Amino acid sequence: GQNIDQPTEMTATEGAIVQINCTYQTSGFNGLFWYQQHAGEAPTFLSYNVLDGLEEKGRFSSFLSRSKGYSYLLLKELQMKDSASYLCAVREGDYKLSFGAGTTVTVRA
Amino acid sequence: IAGITQAPTSQILAAGRRMTLRCTQDMRHNAMYWYRQDLGLGLRLIHYSNTAGTTGKGEVPDGYSVSRANTDDFPLTLASAVPSQTSVYFCASSPGLAGYNEQFFGPGTRLTVL
């Protein structure tokens, strides 16, 4: 089974940087995903890590350390539209994607 | 149709009634999934299908059934709804199961069982 932990809420100022941490325990790690979900909407894909290291995609970056069971999502140059819930999801085996409860990020002017 | 659609958008249902949530994708994805999302618990996998004609149980399958008669459709049925099945249900699809196969989510169905 999986145990995925991420903070419940974070608040930051427009233009700032926020780092959302995710720790996990799994018996068969096969990739880690980050999704963004605005209130009342469907989750949308942000990033995928399967090897250790940093993946950068515009203002968003995601880091993975498999030995530590740890990932983070870094949001830079925060904008008001980045206010959303961010979901960490770990793939175990071929199909099973287990999600954390999500981190709600509030961006303030 | 573009992407993945779900119907209905929302539904209020009396306990004990049968209900089918519909999901259709036009991306020719092999794999499809049903999740429920509850406050504080995140998304939990109910059932999945890796290709037409095959289905499998996820984390919380009890009280739900699915079928996959073709590539595009993956309906979820509640045979006899109970209040604990009140949730937001998301259907998702991906090109395959493993590797870099991001899941694309439908808009969700908000179900209330009274």
Side-chain angles (χ1 to χ4, degrees), chain A residues 6 54 57 66 90:
Chain A
Q6 49 182 131
L54 187 68
K57 188 185 294 186
R66 288 172 295 171
V90 177

Side-chain angles (χ1 to χ4, degrees), chain B residues 23-81:
Chain B
C23 176
T24 299
Q25 54 103 359
D26 66 354
M27 297 176 282
R28 308 305 292 173
H29 285 171
N30 286 319
M32 297 187 75
Y33 316 82
W34 274 105
Y35 293 90
R36 58 178 291 172
Q37 187 173 37
D38 303 289
L39 195 63
L41 294 178
L43 286 157
R44 292 181 292 169
L45 183 66
I46 305 170
H47 284 287
Y48 70 97
S49 168
N50 61 359
T51 190
T54 66
T55 62
K57 294 182 179 180
E59 182 183 354
V60 288
D62 294 342
Y64 305 94
S65 65
V66 292
S67 62
R68 187 88 184 276
N70 57 61
T71 298
D72 298 344
D73 302 300
F74 192 43
L76 176 75
T77 297
L78 289 68
S80 180

Side-chain angles (χ1 to χ4, degrees), chain B residues 77-101:
Chain B
T77 297
L78 289 68
S80 180
V82 295
S84 62
Q85 292 177 311
T86 293
S87 187
V88 180
Y89 291 86
F90 287 100
C91 180
S93 71
S94 66
L97 280 179
Y100 176 52
N101 275 299

